[in-house]
Amino acid sequence: MSLLANGFTIVAVLAGLVFFVAGTAGLLRFPDTSSRLHALTKADHLGLGLIVLGLLPQVGGVGEAARLLAIWALVMLSSAAVGPMIARLTRGQEGAE
Amino acid sequence: MAVAVFRFALLLLLWVAIAGAAPADLPVGAAGSAIGAWASLRLIPPARITPRPAALAMLVLRFPWQALRAGVEVASIALDPRRRAAPATIAWTPRLPPGPARDAFLAYASLLPGTLPAGEMPGGAIAIHALDGSTDVAAAMTLEETRFTRAFGLDG
């Protein structure tokens, strides 16, 4: 059972890292600020989500699991609030150039 | 008052989830939750929403799938050397009137695949930044808006 849980953790965390790498690649490759925001929010959310999911079998109790899920929720909440704001601000600037 | 107590309780629950329930720490959490509840009442006044459980459950259950689609889409464009991002900004006219409900939907839409709301345009439309300009972003936004308004009972 613990072998299965450990295997799940390794696979999910590695998959999460792939999406963090992809988000960083997007940050470097994408042509404009808003596209980079897509990379930083969407790919990294999925990466963080997979890492949180992968760590869940390793936690000691419900409290630690709740803490991990709360961190994921807070990251998504803050980027849902800030992402459109930055996109709005840069749209005015890049359009004016 | 009931709304304030409810929000205070939710924030305190979040505090306990993150910081733990040690008695010495609780006063700080309670004070923070009280300030948070007060700020939330100022910033997001209570609204009459009547969520529809089935539609809301569908929205919540679809979300991980949407997050997966969004992440895979961005990752494949970012990592595949043959693909390039072809971003476009399109004008989309929401049906929701300006206000907290529309803002909430736009924040939610920023987490969906391929779309990033980027502020209002002259004439009341919303600028939507799309990572792949060749897809029908406006139709997708309208579909998601319908799902969102149905889930929260905003369509009356």
Side-chain angles (χ1 to χ4, degrees):
Chain A
M1 190 59 209
S2 90
L3 187 70
L4 200 65
N6 289 344
F8 174 76
T9 296
I10 290 171
V11 170
V13 171
L14 282 179
L17 287 178
V18 169
F19 284 102
F20 270 108
V21 170
T24 310
L27 176 69
L28 298 172
R29 275 192 75 201
F30 286 171
D32 61 316
T33 308
S34 292
S35 298
R36 294 191 185 106
L37 282 172
H38 280 274
L40 284 186
T41 54
K42 290 166 179 109
D44 287 7
H45 287 161
L46 185 56
L48 182 62
L50 286 169
I51 288 174
V52 165
L53 210 61
L55 291 179
L56 283 183
Q58 310 294 333
V59 300
V62 179
E64 285 181 35
R67 192 173 306 171
L68 283 173
L69 291 172
I71 290 169
W72 186 23
L74 283 175
V75 167
M76 285 208 286
L77 186 70
S78 58
S79 70
V82 174
M85 250 188 239
I86 299 179
R88 188 184 73 210
L89 292 172
T90 56
R91 184 169 60 89
Q93 284 171 7
E94 289 182 353
E97 276 168 14
Chain B
M1 191 61 198
V3 181
V5 171
F6 179 67
R7 291 187 182 184
F8 171 79
L10 273 185
L11 289 170
L12 194 60
L13 197 67
L14 181 66
W15 166 275
V16 169
I18 293 172
D25 300 340
L26 269 184
V28 182
S33 303
I35 296 171
W38 173 79
S40 88
L41 287 173
R42 295 290 298 270
L43 296 169
I44 316 170
R48 287 209 164 272
I49 56 166
T50 45
R52 299 198 181 110
L56 188 59
M58 275 300 290
L59 197 75
V60 172
L61 290 177
R62 271 184 83 238
F63 187 73
W65 168 243
Q66 302 268 59
L68 185 69
R69 267 183 57 208
V72 169
E73 186 197 20
V74 172
S76 66
I77 295 175
L79 290 181
D80 188 341
R82 286 160 302 181
R83 290 186 71 178
R84 284 188 177 282
T89 302
I90 61 129
W92 171 72
T93 308
R95 284 185 220 160
L96 284 169
R102 184 199 272 188
D103 294 343
F105 170 68
L106 291 176
Y108 167 75
S110 79
L111 300 176
L112 299 178
T115 53
L116 180 65
E120 283 191 16
M121 290 174 132
I126 301 286
I128 305 290
H129 185 277
L131 199 54
D132 181 359
S134 64
T135 54
D136 193 349
V137 178
M141 285 291 291
T142 301
L143 184 65
E144 291 298 337
E145 188 189 34
T146 309
R147 287 199 179 105
F148 188 86
T149 50
R150 206 177 288 154
F152 289 98
L154 298 165
D155 47 0

